[in-house]
């Protein structure tokens, strides 16, 4: 009989081999040594098969599935994976209030943390992307051209019309935006001897704080820091405070975040048109919002100070930084000097 090489067999082949060895042993009475030569396995392996069949029955030699079950030990549940994949396909980070132009690993990490409170490593995000069949690709040029056209239309037509109306009605124009209040070290650098990376202690806890702010080109600023994310109710609460403190009607310019278009928000604004109106920046143009540069200034200051020990200390520090910025109107006016925001100066 031809000798079989057991090393070339898969799980089903090995199971068939074991059954053959047992059948030959029963029918011919071959010894373990003879069966091992035919099966192409070590004699001790054959003896173990025969012994297990005698004690536990032939069924004990059935090939068992090895390794972890499919989907086990994943950090994201299947439903969470589906949710993330749908967002990557259907939206860009800016639409979900994330400070990224395209879906990078960092952007996906921020999305998962924002939605599920989970922190994923770069390597784990890479594994998920590979499993989903997603690859890094350059954006199509047509999208960039479309974005450029929308921005140019905003600069030439839309914003001048808003400014003309504001002047005629005695309204003040505010630009508003939201951001997470978070301490990390992504944006800052510190000097150290060559080859010795500086170490910055950071809390392992991530407080769920968010800030919404609004500024004018005259250096005025309004802000509110809340626990959790900015939803329709919290946005309305901010609007109420804004019009209560304003001496005249407010023209508020915001991006296209879903909260800004919420039906609850639209209904609230509609009943207060004498006090406030909302206007929307062109899509995918966060650099056109001067308040973006306030957020960058705020986050840099937050990360450069000693890390907070708890949530209340973080909240107190955030308020102190914003109060300091608000006391410097010339600093607020400087955000309008950025080339992409100079149109609003």
């Amino acid at each position: 009989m031809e000798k079989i090489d057991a090393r070339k067999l898969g799980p089903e082949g090995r199971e068939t081999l074991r059954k053959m060895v047992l059948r030959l042993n029963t029918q011919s009475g071959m010894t373990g040594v003879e069966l091992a030569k035919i099966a192409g396995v070590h004699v001790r392996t054959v003896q173990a098969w025969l012994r297990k069949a005698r004690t536990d029955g032939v069924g004990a030699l059935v090939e068992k599935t090895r390794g972890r079950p499919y989907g086990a030990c994943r950090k994201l549940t299947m439903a969470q994976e589906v949710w993330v994949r749908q967002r990557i396909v259907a939206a860009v980070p800016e639409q979900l209030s994330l400070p990224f132009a395209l879906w990078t690993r960092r952007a996906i990490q921020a999305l998962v943390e924002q939605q599920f409170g989970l922190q994923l490593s770069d390597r784990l995000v890479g594994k998920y992307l590979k499993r989903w069949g997603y690859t890094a690709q350059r954006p199509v040029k047509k999208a960039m051209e479309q974005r450029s056209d929308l921005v140019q239309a905003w600069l030439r037509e839309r914003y001048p019309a808003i400014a003309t109306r504001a002047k005629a009605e005695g309204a003040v124009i505010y630009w508003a935006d939201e951001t997470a209040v978070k301490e990390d070290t992504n944006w800052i650098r510190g000097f150290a001897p060559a080859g010795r990376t500086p170490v910055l202690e950071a809390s392992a806890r991530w407080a769920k704080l968010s800030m919404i702010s609004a500024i004018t080109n005259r250096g005025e600023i309004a802000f509110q820091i809340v626990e959790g994310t900015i939803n329709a109710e919290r946005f309305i609460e901010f609007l109420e405070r804004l019009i209560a403190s304003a001496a005249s009607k407010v023209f508020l310019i915001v991006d296209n975040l879903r909260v800004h278009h919420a039906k609850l928000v639209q209904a609230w604004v509609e009943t207060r048109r004498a006090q406030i109106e909302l206007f929307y920046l062109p899509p995918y143009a966060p650099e056109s919002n001067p308040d973006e540069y306030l957020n960058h200034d705020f986050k840099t200051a937050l990360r450069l100070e000693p890390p907070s020990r708890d949530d209340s200390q973080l909240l107190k520090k955030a308020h102190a930084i914003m109060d300091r910025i608000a006391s410097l109107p010339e600093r607020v006016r400087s955000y309008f000097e950025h080339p992409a925001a100079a149109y609003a100066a």
Side-chain angles (χ1 to χ4, degrees):
M1 186 177 290
E2 184 181 356
K3 185 177 178 180
I4 301 171
D5 189 352
R7 295 173 297 178
K8 297 181 179 180
L9 299 176
E12 294 182 358
R14 289 193 296 271
E15 184 175 336
T16 301
L17 180 61
R18 285 192 289 268
K19 291 179 179 179
M20 182 198 72
V21 169
L22 294 177
R23 187 170 61 252
L24 285 174
N25 176 255
T26 302
Q27 295 174 354
S28 65
M30 289 182 179
T31 65
V33 175
E34 294 171 328
L35 292 171
K37 289 180 179 180
I38 294 173
V41 297
H42 197 278
V43 63
R44 291 182 182 177
T45 301
V46 171
Q47 292 171 346
W49 291 349
L50 298 175
R51 186 166 52 251
K52 193 169 187 64
R54 286 195 301 268
T55 57
D56 301 331
V58 178
L61 297 177
V62 175
E63 184 82 12
K64 295 180 176 59
T65 303
R66 298 184 179 184
R68 296 171 178 170
Y70 180 77
C73 302
R74 291 190 186 177
K75 200 158 187 178
L76 294 178
T77 65
M78 190 62 67
Q80 289 172 337
E81 286 191 45
V82 171
W83 186 90
V84 173
R85 292 173 65 177
Q86 289 175 340
R87 296 308 178 279
I88 294 176
V89 172
V92 294
E94 191 267 339
Q95 290 176 297
L96 300 175
S97 197
L98 296 172
F100 304 93
L102 294 172
W103 287 114
T104 61
R105 294 192 185 194
R106 283 186 57 201
I108 295 171
Q109 287 172 320
L111 175 66
V112 170
E113 185 176 351
Q114 173 182 283
Q115 183 66 22
F116 305 117
L118 298 174
Q119 294 183 17
L120 305 182
S121 66
D122 283 351
R123 183 178 180 184
L124 184 54
V125 172
K127 287 184 176 180
Y128 275 117
L129 291 171
K130 183 178 181 180
R131 185 181 298 130
W132 298 337
Y134 290 9
T135 57
Q137 303 174 49
R138 291 189 178 186
V140 293
K141 189 175 181 180
K142 182 178 180 182
M144 296 298 293
E145 292 173 350
Q146 182 181 14
R147 170 187 168 186
S148 178
D149 291 343
L150 292 172
V151 171
Q152 290 304 315
W154 167 261
L155 297 176
R156 289 194 311 265
E157 304 167 13
R158 184 64 173 149
Y159 178 71
I162 294 172
T164 299
R165 272 196 57 201
K167 185 175 182 179
E169 299 179 26
V172 58
I173 302 177
Y174 278 87
W175 283 259
D177 194 26
E178 296 86 4
T179 189
V181 179
K182 182 184 299 184
E183 291 180 309
D184 56 42
T185 60
N186 293 341
W187 290 8
I188 61 175
R189 295 171 181 261
F191 287 98
R196 293 178 58 184
T197 304
V199 177
L200 178 64
E201 291 186 358
S203 173
R205 299 184 67 250
W206 295 90
K208 300 295 181 181
L209 299 178
S210 301
M211 181 181 74
I212 179 171
S213 58
I215 61 175
T216 72
N217 56 15
R218 298 183 297 192
E220 299 163 318
I221 186 171
F223 71 93
Q224 182 178 355
I225 301 175
V226 300
E227 292 186 5
T229 57
I230 303 297
N231 54 24
E233 291 77 9
R234 287 169 176 156
F235 183 51
I236 289 174
E237 181 183 348
F238 174 76
L239 298 183
E240 288 176 339
R241 294 186 178 187
L242 184 62
I243 62 176
S245 61
S248 57
K249 183 176 180 178
V250 172
F251 279 14
L252 186 65
I253 299 176
V254 294
D255 59 23
N256 288 275
L257 187 65
R258 185 181 303 174
V259 167
H260 302 153
H261 290 278
K263 292 181 180 179
L264 188 64
V265 173
Q266 298 300 319
W268 185 90
V269 172
E270 187 62 30
T271 60
R272 294 164 177 81
R273 289 184 64 84
Q275 298 171 284
I276 186 170
E277 289 188 46
L278 295 185
F279 302 90
Y280 300 95
L281 287 161
Y284 320 130
E287 68 279 358
S288 298
N289 189 345
D291 201 44
E292 283 280 347
Y293 309 105
L294 164 66
N295 290 340
H296 189 283
D297 196 7
F298 165 72
K299 289 182 177 181
T300 301
L302 190 68
R303 291 162 172 138
L304 283 172
E305 295 197 5
S308 305
R309 299 302 176 186
D310 52 45
D311 297 357
S312 61
Q313 189 177 4
L314 175 61
L315 179 62
K316 182 178 179 181
K317 183 167 69 172
H319 272 286
I321 292 172
M322 287 302 296
D323 287 338
R324 184 168 67 244
I325 294 175
S327 68
L328 302 169
E330 68 280 2
R331 183 168 176 174
V332 178
R333 288 194 293 269
S334 71
Y335 304 141
F336 293 81
E337 296 175 3
H338 190 281
Y343 74 92

